[in-house]
Amino acid sequence: MNIRDRQILQIALPSIVSNITVPLLGMIDVAIVGHMGSPVYIGAVAVGSMIFNLVYWLFGFLRMGSSGLASQALGRRDLTEVARVLVRSMAISLGIALLLIVLQIPIKWLMFRLIGPTADVAAFATTYYYIVVWGAPAVLGLYSLSGWFVGMQNTRIPMFVSIMQNVVNILASLTLVYGFGMKIEGVAWGTVIAQYAGFMVALGLLLRYYGRLRSYLVLKGTFVREAMGRLFRVNRDIFLRTLCLVAVNLYFTSAGARSGAVILSVNTVLMQLYLFFSYFMDGFAYAGEALCGRAYGAGNGVAFRETLRRLWMWALIVTAAYTFIYVWGGSWIVSLLTDESEVLAASRDYLWWVWLIPAAGAAAFIWDGVFIGMTATRGMLVSSFLSTVIFFVVCCLSQTNHGLWLAMIVYLAMRGVFQTIWFRATTRERFTVSLREPPDHQAS
């Protein structure tokens, strides 16, 4: 294994572990309320978790934007800018979090209108929502910190924080629910405690391992118009790109719901297989953010091209492995996720669409990481927008569940195609000016 592969795996593997632990926070809450004696509690946590997952997903640019900018500054060995990137991102994160808290009532009204929970579920979901919303500063602050750590080529800290959060969430929720006799409130406060515990630990590790950067931080010039303008342009593009992703996923879910409970369940279960694949590919996307961003910031064309080549090799390996697993073991995986006979029977008609997901989606993950590292976010936005338009066109032409899956596969594939075209037509021209061929001692 060459040095580039080791660098990629050192970043990708901890990121994969972090990704796998993320859904556990919601699953732990569901598992606890699932033993409270009423399905209403499960529905309340499901609705509350859905609201926060959607809202926080929209602000994922806080992680991605700080990652690309930090890795480029590190590549230039501009430690003052490295420190400033974190300060700017944290300031925006906390500002957005405070806005979410101030606007919590209209946000709750809007999300309840979109989701439409029944009255009994809505009552408990409201209790859950009004407690968990106070965790917004910790969640969004941790987004900025995690992205900055990735930009600094360190994914071990986010992995440790993710694991620690789950442990704290389990202990806090169980203590509040079974030790103090609380119901939905105990689960909600357990989640908030875990969120702040993760944020505080991340801050502690920041000071422990990067405290020396305080000597490089010069607040004068940190919030100048040019620097803030670049940060907002990057974040704006990622935010709008995320809106495209949200539109596709919401329509996919709602269209399945209109086809009945069985089809909705089939689509939900099969999409879990897409999520399993995304957990691994996201790890290599993070490696692209960190390593390609650093090489781009350093103007090191040799390192950039070698990293990109090895990323594609790993994407091919993961794609082949997941395709094999889904073709030969997809039915068994589905049977682990549900034992409903109707859902299992209906899923056989659609399982072969899942076989196409790895090949269709791999390129988009790799390019997302590379583009974020380069802060070439306009390419991400344009490719996502065009792919979203194609998705809805295909849905209109074939209004069946098979048509819906075809639209999803085409959408995933076209994101990778458009990003490849954008890279070749636009971004590579920047390389001829921005990336030099380094001397031999710089090539690594």
Side-chain angles (χ1 to χ4, degrees), residues 94-407:
L94 296 180
I96 293 174
L98 292 176
L99 193 61
L100 291 177
I101 291 174
V102 171
L103 299 177
Q104 57 182 282
I105 294 177
I107 291 174
K108 177 253 177 183
W109 177 86
L110 176 62
M111 298 305 294
F112 272 45
R113 293 279 293 182
L114 289 174
I115 299 172
T118 58
D120 52 351
V121 170
F124 288 105
T126 297
T127 300
Y128 182 90
Y129 170 86
Y130 280 132
I131 294 173
V132 176
V133 72
W134 290 95
V139 173
L140 297 185
L142 192 54
Y143 275 17
S144 293
L145 284 169
S146 297
W148 188 84
F149 285 136
V150 171
M152 297 297 289
Q153 329 288 287
N154 186 339
T155 54
R156 294 183 302 278
I157 289 179
M159 177 188 70
F160 174 79
V161 171
S162 294
I163 295 173
M164 184 277 301
Q165 275 189 310
N166 281 282
V167 173
V168 172
N169 191 31
I170 293 172
L171 296 177
S173 296
L174 288 176
T175 300
L176 293 173
V177 171
Y178 295 107
F180 291 88
M182 301 173 72
K183 294 289 189 179
I184 199 76
E185 299 90 343
V187 174
W189 281 116
T191 298
V192 173
I193 291 170
Q195 290 167 344
Y196 276 100
F199 182 52
M200 297 307 295
V201 168
L203 285 176
L205 293 173
L206 172 71
L207 296 175
R208 169 67 176 81
Y209 291 102
Y210 299 98
R212 63 186 179 86
L213 289 178
R214 284 179 291 183
S215 62
Y216 292 94
L217 177 59
V218 180
L219 290 179
K220 183 179 180 181
T222 298
F223 298 102
V224 296
R225 179 179 299 179
E226 180 181 354
M228 294 300 293
R230 185 187 182 200
L231 179 59
F232 276 111
R233 283 193 298 273
V234 169
N235 288 344
R236 177 198 60 200
D237 289 344
I238 298 175
F239 175 77
L240 294 175
R241 169 254 191 190
T242 304
L243 283 180
C244 293
L245 270 63
V246 169
V248 168
N249 282 278
L250 282 178
Y251 184 84
F252 187 89
T253 301
S254 63
R258 290 195 296 271
S259 298
V262 172
I263 293 299
L264 174 61
S265 298
V266 167
N267 288 355
T268 301
V269 169
L270 294 184
M271 281 302 288
Q272 300 308 304
L273 277 70
Y274 168 71
L275 292 177
F276 296 155
F277 172 69
S278 72
Y279 295 153
F280 272 76
M281 286 308 303
D282 259 340
F284 292 97
Y286 286 6
E289 294 177 25
L291 297 174
C292 288
R294 183 172 183 175
Y296 187 77
N300 190 334
V302 170
F304 183 95
R305 285 186 286 271
E306 175 64 11
T307 300
L308 186 58
R309 186 176 71 84
R310 304 308 293 180
L311 283 171
W312 285 115
M313 183 204 73
W314 283 106
L316 182 63
I317 292 173
V318 174
T319 297
Y322 267 87
T323 301
F324 177 83
I325 291 170
Y326 288 166
V327 169
W328 295 104
S331 297
W332 176 74
I333 296 174
V334 171
S335 68
L336 292 178
L337 296 174
T338 180
D339 58 359
E340 294 290 336
S341 57
E342 284 186 282
V343 175
L344 289 172
S347 68
R348 299 189 187 100
D349 294 332
Y350 299 96
L351 184 60
W352 63 275
W353 286 111
V354 176
W355 302 350
L356 304 177
I357 285 177
F365 283 97
I366 297 300
W367 282 129
D368 278 353
V370 173
F371 279 33
I372 289 170
M374 297 171 56
T375 58
T377 51
R378 183 54 52 87
M380 294 174 61
L381 172 58
V382 171
S383 63
S384 291
F385 175 76
L386 294 176
S387 300
T388 300
V389 171
I390 293 174
F391 170 84
F392 284 107
V393 169
V394 175
C395 287
C396 291
L397 294 176
S398 180
Q399 298 182 3
T400 65
N401 200 51
H402 281 292
L404 186 64
W405 275 100
L406 172 63

